[in-house]
Amino acid sequence: PTYRSPRWGNLLPTMFGKAKIFILDAGKVIMIISLVLWGLSSYGPPSSINKVQQAYTLALQTPNVDSVQAEKEFKAARLENSYAGLIGKQLEPVIAPLGFDWRIGIALVTSFAAREVFVGTMATLFSVSEDNENDSLLHEKLKAATRTDGTPLFTLATGLSLMIFYVFAMQCMSTLATVYRETRRFRDAAFQLLYMSGLAYLSAFIAYQWLKP
């Protein structure tokens, strides 16, 4: 085709119109899901959260305490005892055949917002700060992580299983919101979520069961 310069009088209104449609339609769905995920990660049963808060307060009162490390451990404990943490622990029997434990389960829940959130969640759970100048790198802590029976958590089988899962899984709420906006049917978005999650689970299951020691 013949290439021509864009007509700026049409380009800018079109860009504005498309952005407005996305913000008003898909944006509302994204906002709702984001608030739900934030609430699940920030709140938990009052009794559990109060115990975590009391333990943190006592830790700060300990002589010569490392306040930075104490705060990181507090955030990890709070996330573990949040509703997202409880969901992750409830998911453990389901995701165990994939080589995952409850910590990975929590990250799977929070990363529904976007898959890159997985790394930040694991950093929180393993008490790794954003500034790693005086702390072990996340990959070193993941390498040293163990299961309840003492075996390593992250092996070749677990790593490949996790990678394959995220290749196929629909871990992107903005995509689901856009599908709903385009089709105007929750059924299509739900089918996409269930189909791709099922494919991801089956593929990760085969990879882990084939490669596990």
Side-chain angles (χ1 to χ4, degrees), residues 81-138:
N81 288 275
S82 67
Y83 291 116
L86 296 178
I87 294 174
K89 292 179 179 180
Q90 292 296 320
L91 284 176
E92 188 169 26
V94 178
I95 61 179
L98 311 184
F100 305 161
D101 72 341
W102 64 269
R103 290 167 290 189
I104 299 178
I106 295 176
L108 292 179
V109 174
T110 58
S111 65
F112 181 73
R115 63 192 64 214
E116 56 268 22
V117 176
F118 179 90
V119 178
T121 302
M122 296 301 287
T124 300
L125 288 170
F126 284 90
S127 303
V128 177
S129 62
E130 296 180 359
D131 182 6
N132 288 312
E133 293 181 359
N134 299 314
D135 202 350
S136 298
L137 295 175
L138 177 59

Side-chain angles (χ1 to χ4, degrees), residues 20-37:
K20 181 180 179 181
I21 291 174
F22 180 82
I23 293 174
L24 294 181
D25 291 350
K28 289 185 289 187
V29 179
I30 294 173
M31 177 65 70
I32 293 172
I33 298 176
S34 297
L35 289 173
V36 171
L37 290 174

Side-chain angles (χ1 to χ4, degrees), residues 176-190:
L176 291 174
T178 301
V179 169
Y180 167 70
R181 183 181 68 82
E182 295 293 336
T183 63
R184 293 296 179 182
R185 292 187 297 186
F186 281 111
R187 182 183 64 186
D188 293 335

Side-chain angles (χ1 to χ4, degrees), residues 10-180:
N10 295 335
L11 180 61
L12 295 178
T14 301
M15 291 173 58
F16 177 79
K18 295 293 184 181
K20 181 180 179 181
I21 291 174
F22 180 82
I23 293 174
L24 294 181
D25 291 350
K28 289 185 289 187
V29 179
I30 294 173
M31 177 65 70
I32 293 172
I33 298 176
S34 297
L35 289 173
V36 171
L37 290 174
W38 173 82
L40 292 174
S41 303
S42 302
Y43 297 96
S47 58
S48 300
I49 298 299
N50 289 337
K51 290 180 180 179
V52 173
Q53 184 66 50
Q54 291 172 3
Y56 176 59
T57 302
L58 291 175
L60 293 179
Q61 296 173 355
T62 304
N64 301 322
V65 65
D66 186 344
S67 59
V68 176
Q69 181 63 27
E71 182 178 0
K72 288 187 290 185
E73 293 176 355
F74 166 69
K75 290 180 179 180
R78 186 179 179 88
L79 179 57
E80 178 183 348
N81 288 275
S82 67
Y83 291 116
L86 296 178
I87 294 174
K89 292 179 179 180
Q90 292 296 320
L91 284 176
E92 188 169 26
V94 178
I95 61 179
L98 311 184
F100 305 161
D101 72 341
W102 64 269
R103 290 167 290 189
I104 299 178
I106 295 176
L108 292 179
V109 174
T110 58
S111 65
F112 181 73
R115 63 192 64 214
E116 56 268 22
V117 176
F118 179 90
V119 178
T121 302
M122 296 301 287
T124 300
L125 288 170
F126 284 90
S127 303
V128 177
S129 62
E130 296 180 359
D131 182 6
N132 288 312
E133 293 181 359
N134 299 314
D135 202 350
S136 298
L137 295 175
L138 177 59
H139 71 82
E140 294 176 354
K141 291 199 172 185
L142 295 181
K143 186 177 181 180
T146 58
R147 305 178 188 273
T148 54
D149 59 1
T151 58
L153 173 60
F154 286 95
T155 61
L156 174 62
T158 304
L160 289 177
S161 174
L162 188 61
M163 291 172 62
I164 291 173
F165 181 87
Y166 272 102
V167 166
F168 294 109
M170 176 48 67
Q171 296 290 109
C172 183
M173 63 179 181
S174 59
T175 300
L176 291 174
T178 301
V179 169
Y180 167 70

